[in-house]
Amino acid sequence: MSEASLIATLAAPPDGELAALRAVRGLEVRADLTGDLDSDWLRDRFAGELTYSLRSRAEAGAFEGSPDERRRRLLVAARRFDLVEVEEGDQETQMLAGIPPAQRLASWSGAVTDLGGLREAWDRLSRIPARLYRLAVRTERPQDALGLLGWLRTLGRRDVTAFATGPAGTWTRLLAPRLGAPVAFGSLGGTVDGPGELTIAQLMTDYGLPSLGPLERTFGIAGRAVSRSLSPRLHNAAYRELGLPALYLPFQVDSFATFWREAVAGLEELGLPLRGLTVASPYKEEALALAGEVSSLARQAGSANTLLRRRGLWRADTADAQGVVSALLQRRIPLAGRQVAVVGCGGAGRAAAAGLLRAGARVTLVNRGHDRGDYASRLLGLPFVPLSAFRAGDFSLVVHATPLAAESPFPVADLRRGTVVVEMVYGAAPTPLMLATAAAGGVAVDGREVLMVEVQRQFRLMTGRRMPVRPAPVAFASIGAMIGRGAPP
């Protein structure tokens, strides 16, 4: 099995992180952010190669000093570090004479509008003899980076790393090593490239680097804010355990239809066909409309959070319904005949309502806006209550299906003791609604419980295999324990 070399980039002075870098080949010090760190001190704590970077403003860095100061600091670094980053503008100075080619990391950062602009940037950068080259291309849409990856594959060099920056380019950092890039960069201690970058821990835990196993097909999640999704970690860990030649990628999308049209074809051309997609808010209705086949449950809900390639057609399905229903059944909470309120009439809420209805519950829809609520009511044949008129105490089970996580959408004090509240969103800690429900004596079913059911369902739909059973990924103590410690309701 081949491997990519990992380089961890420091954007702040290290605070104990270096001891964890056993699988990392190199450490890049962004001196424009950290200041000049003692190389001897670093070598005492890290056994790999050290790279010195003094990134200028022209190359998306923070250094604003004079050319003389830049020359002085780079030449001093060349005596102490294994690699020194040089930029296109450094060709016009005397400093290259003091930095041997085998010690240079030639780097370029910027925006290009087409392949012609990319080739011109590479032509200028490649005039600097160097051991390693890095091109970081700013992009706004994930599909815009397809040309970059195609160019990297065609270039066929083992000394060039290229990827797209920004949230829309995160996925390219994961495919680039499989298309010829020898190195993958991950941040360690602070923000290096801004939104869209991956930490060295994410590269290893969520995506299995530095190992590069066989890859025959791709899957992913597409939405407006996917950077904090746990789905890549869960799916990719299961692929590795089962030995499946697959990779699950994050796609931050601003236009789903355009992404769908261009990215699906582009990945096919790269030899990494997309075979399944988790669809996140706000694209679940659009995903349904783009599919060639639709499951009965997705059609009933009017939304899909799963797209699957089957026999040449894309099939729309939904795991939102099973996520809520199965999470409740796993808690041994009966549903038949139960009075249930679903707060939020978007795609996730409608799917949850459809699933609960099929399980025999008596469902009422609740929404702040009347138009969406009326639409969901007509679609599902269920009663609708505006949020302003909603009384939580009238129900023994409430499902929160809005994207709001920072506040409770309704007064928790209105809940009867013992009421079950299901949260469909999740974060690094329990939401205020979950904490308040537990503190009031209710039963709090956290969004991560729902997520685990949905992920297992989607994994089965996408791969035809059962996801290896794992405990729910929890980065915080149980809700009950937090309440017991006096956590604020």
Side-chain angles (χ1 to χ4, degrees):
M1 182 180 294
S2 61
E3 289 192 348
S5 294
L6 294 182
I7 295 181
T9 303
L10 272 175
D15 183 21
E17 301 100 331
L18 301 185
L21 298 182
R22 296 184 183 90
V24 175
R25 188 195 87 178
L27 180 68
E28 178 186 25
V29 177
R30 281 287 302 273
D32 55 308
L33 301 173
T34 66
D36 287 336
L37 302 181
D38 186 339
S39 59
D40 292 334
W41 185 90
L42 292 171
R43 291 188 192 281
D44 287 341
R45 291 157 178 81
F46 177 72
E49 284 193 326
L50 298 180
T51 299
Y52 181 90
S53 174
L54 189 65
R55 192 79 54 82
S56 69
R57 286 287 185 191
E59 297 287 342
F63 177 71
E64 295 180 318
S66 67
D68 287 343
E69 180 189 355
R70 178 175 177 80
R71 183 184 307 112
R72 177 185 62 78
R73 291 175 67 177
L74 290 183
L75 291 177
V76 169
R79 298 194 296 270
R80 299 175 179 174
F81 287 76
D82 302 296
L83 279 172
V84 176
E85 183 185 56
V86 294
E87 301 172 358
E88 181 184 334
D90 295 328
Q91 295 183 78
E92 306 304 322
T93 72
Q94 298 284 327
M95 74 174 66
L96 290 185
I99 307 174
Q103 202 177 354
R104 299 174 191 161
L105 164 60
S107 184
W108 176 85
S109 299
V112 294
T113 57
D114 53 27
L115 275 178
L118 177 62
R119 293 189 183 103
E120 290 177 6
W122 165 241
D123 182 63
R124 295 191 303 270
L125 186 66
S126 62
R127 295 170 191 168
I128 303 176
R131 191 212 304 183
L132 184 64
Y133 296 88
R134 170 173 56 192
L135 292 93
V137 181
R138 292 195 300 274
T139 188
E140 298 298 328
R141 307 185 310 164
Q143 60 269 28
D144 291 342
L146 287 164
L148 169 67
L149 293 179
W151 171 83
L152 177 65
R153 184 184 63 172
T154 303
L155 188 65
R157 293 182 54 151
R158 294 297 301 166
D159 58 351
V160 178
T161 292
F163 53 86
T165 60
T170 300
W171 65 284
T172 66
R173 298 172 182 261
L174 305 164
L175 289 186
R178 299 175 179 278
L179 297 171
V183 172
F185 293 86
S187 64
L188 178 76
T191 300
V192 180
D193 293 328
E197 68 185 359
L198 294 166
T199 67
I200 205 74
Q202 285 176 300
L203 290 175
M204 298 170 68
T205 303
D206 295 4
Y207 301 100
L209 293 173
S211 297
L212 297 174
L215 180 57
E216 298 175 2
R217 57 191 183 274
T218 57
F219 301 91
I221 180 170
R224 196 166 280 171
V226 300
S227 62
R228 296 182 182 179
S229 172
L230 287 172
S231 291
R233 177 181 301 179
L234 297 169
H235 282 266
N236 287 321
Y239 299 155
R240 293 195 297 272
E241 185 164 331
L242 295 175
L244 299 180
L247 187 65
Y248 190 99
L249 300 165
F251 299 105
Q252 180 145 321
V253 174
D254 61 357
S255 170
F256 188 80
T258 304
F259 163 78
W260 190 245
R261 183 176 63 252
E262 298 178 11
V264 172
L267 285 167
E268 194 85 36
E269 291 176 6
L270 286 174
L272 301 170
L274 188 68
R275 289 293 177 258
L277 196 67
T278 300
V279 183
S281 178
Y283 302 122
K284 297 183 181 185
E285 295 177 11
E286 201 169 350
L288 185 75
L290 290 170
E293 294 181 350
V294 179
S295 73
S296 62
L297 190 57
R299 189 180 304 280
Q300 182 182 8
S303 75
N305 76 341
T306 311
L307 286 170
L308 309 161
R309 185 73 167 172
R310 292 288 184 271
R311 300 179 299 276
L313 288 177
W314 283 94
R315 176 179 173 83
D317 208 330
T318 180
D320 283 325
Q322 186 175 12
V324 170
V325 171
S326 294
L328 289 166
L329 294 179
Q330 287 174 4
R331 291 282 201 103
R332 298 183 179 178
I333 296 170
L335 297 176
R338 197 177 194 107
Q339 292 283 358
V340 178
V342 176
V343 181
C345 290
R350 297 198 304 271
L356 290 164
L357 182 64
R358 290 190 176 192
R362 300 169 64 183
V363 182
T364 296
L365 301 170
V366 182
N367 201 68
R368 186 183 304 277
H370 285 247
D371 290 346
R372 185 176 285 270
D374 288 335
Y375 168 72
S377 177
R378 292 193 304 272
L379 186 68
L380 293 166
L382 294 173
F384 163 64
V385 174
L387 184 61
S388 59
F390 173 58
R391 298 293 177 264
D394 295 339
F395 301 89
S396 62
L397 193 158
V398 179
V399 177
H400 176 219
T402 81
L404 301 177
E407 60 185 31
S408 300
F410 54 86
V412 178
D414 294 344
L415 293 171
R416 291 177 293 180
R417 188 169 184 83
T419 299
V420 180
V421 179
V422 180
E423 179 73 274
M424 292 191 72
V425 297
Y426 67 90
T431 65
L433 176 60
M434 291 288 93
L435 293 173
T437 297
V443 178
V445 181
D446 189 79
R448 292 198 176 198
E449 297 179 54
V450 176
L451 168 73
M452 284 304 299
V453 175
E454 292 192 13
V455 166
Q456 290 174 31
R457 168 67 175 163
Q458 289 178 327
F459 187 87
R460 186 70 177 266
L461 290 171
M462 290 178 180
T463 67
R465 303 281 295 275
R466 186 181 298 275
M467 177 176 273
V469 177
R470 295 176 177 275
V474 179
F476 47 80
S478 70
I479 298 170
M482 295 187 75
I483 295 297
R485 290 198 305 269

